[in-house]
Amino acid sequence: MYLHISKILVLALLFTCGQAQSQTADPAAWPKVQLHLHLDCSLSYDVVKTLDPSISLDDYQRDFIAPARCTDLRDYITRATRSIALMQTKQALRLVTLDLFRQLQKDNVIYAEIRFAPLQHLQKGLSPEEVVATVDAAVAEGIQQTGIQVGVILCTLRHYTAEQSMTTVRLVEKFKHTHIAGFDIAADEAGYPIDHHVAAFAYAREKHIPCTAHAGEAKCPGSVRETLASFHPSRIGHGVRSIEDTALIRFLATHHIHLEVCPSSNLQTNIYNNLEDHPIDRLFRAGVSLSVNTDAYTISNTTLDREYSLVIQQFHWTKQQFMTCNLEAIDHAFTDKATKKILREKLRKGFDASAN
């Protein structure tokens, strides 16, 4: 009986200490890894104003930032339209990429993977190769300026043809010795089937191109299962609706499939009513590999610091839980072993140095 009471007291003390730590934690001081971040959804007002001085702050807040609650994912991503329209020249692509580095610096990010669909940037005559080369060169410039390591993921889109998907994945292959790091599929998950994209992901596997794929965001767990079976990615963008399928959760944990979780975005796309309902904590406790990400700095009007703070406030996560997620992100990053080793050392050193 006394031993039983002692165990209860120890558990209560640990819970109390965890709550105290979470309430005083300062994520701004922690080094971070971000794997899920859309370039064309993350333009600051400063860069928008530079690219088009006629756009007022009111215009920016109305057209570039989504409301707290959108109808669905399709509604949410319409806010990227004006950003993409601005990103049609080499100079614009360079400025937007460097602008994102500045935002990453503010979040104390040490490694990021940024993604975009290069075929959306051909309206003023650039070729797909010119688009990718321009962003790659801007990433190299940003790395030199900030020291932040960044890889680029090229996206095909759900509504694209099979030919467009193949064009995109072949761009990844063509730029394999640059900062171009992997292949993804994004856009309206609920509106379009995967059929047109199976060949592109098969090509990626054949060429050993790292892959992630958006799934389990706008559709049910069956979408995650279908994506895993057809595309064989090592990561899933979002994937939060996997929580609805116990067997799928076991599969993700057993096969070490990493989920790129974006809490605020999932609320805005109307998946969950509030953060309390969000499954990030349940997924973590079920042993699923995951990381915390922003998805879109501008459309979600957020920062990575803010996403961490929201999770701390709602679920009382400790510094150690975020450390675990960041290490998982490094393990699943589309970069080489030497870079991963450096990032792990930098991450541990930064977390150890932070007061809380």
Side-chain angles (χ1 to χ4, degrees), residues 216-250:
E217 179 186 14
K219 289 181 72 177
C220 63
S223 175
V224 178
R225 286 186 172 277
E226 179 185 48
T227 297
L228 290 170
S230 301
F231 296 162
H232 306 282
S234 60
R235 297 175 0 205
I236 294 288
H238 300 285
V240 288
R241 294 196 61 186
S242 301
I243 198 67
E244 300 165 26
D245 185 334
T246 303
L248 177 57
I249 290 298
R250 286 198 298 268

Side-chain angles (χ1 to χ4, degrees), residues 130-324:
E130 286 176 317
V131 170
V132 176
T134 300
V135 172
D136 176 60
V139 166
E141 187 178 350
I143 292 171
Q144 185 176 28
Q145 289 177 1
T146 66
I148 301 170
Q149 295 301 308
V150 168
V152 180
I153 297 172
L154 301 187
C155 300
T156 186
L157 302 178
R158 280 272 183 163
H159 56 274
Y160 276 3
T161 64
E163 183 181 4
Q164 287 173 306
S165 272
M166 286 300 297
T167 296
T168 305
V169 74
R170 283 175 173 148
L171 284 169
V172 182
E173 181 191 14
K174 184 171 185 176
F175 285 84
K176 63 182 177 181
H177 296 302
T178 69
H179 299 291
I180 309 306
F183 183 56
D184 178 30
I185 183 168
D188 185 11
E189 177 190 2
Y192 297 87
I194 66 169
D195 306 23
H196 290 166
H197 313 290
V198 174
F201 276 89
Y203 186 86
R205 288 199 308 280
E206 178 188 336
K207 300 298 181 179
H208 306 289
I209 294 170
C211 292
T212 182
H214 284 64
E217 179 186 14
K219 289 181 72 177
C220 63
S223 175
V224 178
R225 286 186 172 277
E226 179 185 48
T227 297
L228 290 170
S230 301
F231 296 162
H232 306 282
S234 60
R235 297 175 0 205
I236 294 288
H238 300 285
V240 288
R241 294 196 61 186
S242 301
I243 198 67
E244 300 165 26
D245 185 334
T246 303
L248 177 57
I249 290 298
R250 286 198 298 268
F251 180 90
L252 295 173
T254 301
H255 291 81
H256 213 48
I257 304 297
H258 185 82
L259 301 187
E260 308 155 1
V261 181
C262 310
S264 290
S265 172
N266 297 153
L267 300 185
Q268 283 181 286
T269 55
N270 213 14
I271 305 176
Y272 305 107
N273 291 325
N274 51 58
L275 192 59
E276 182 181 2
D277 297 331
H278 196 283
I280 186 171
D281 188 60
R282 284 174 285 160
L283 289 164
F284 181 88
R285 294 181 187 281
V288 175
S289 173
L290 62 86
S291 55
V292 182
N293 306 272
T294 60
D295 197 11
Y297 275 136
T298 299
I299 296 184
S300 286
N301 194 25
T302 193
T303 65
L304 197 51
D305 283 346
R306 179 176 181 272
E307 296 303 304
Y308 278 39
S309 295
L310 289 172
V311 173
I312 290 168
Q313 291 164 16
Q314 181 61 55
F315 300 111
H316 310 295
W317 274 24
T318 65
K319 183 169 72 170
Q320 185 57 49
Q321 285 169 289
F322 286 101
M323 176 74 166
T324 298

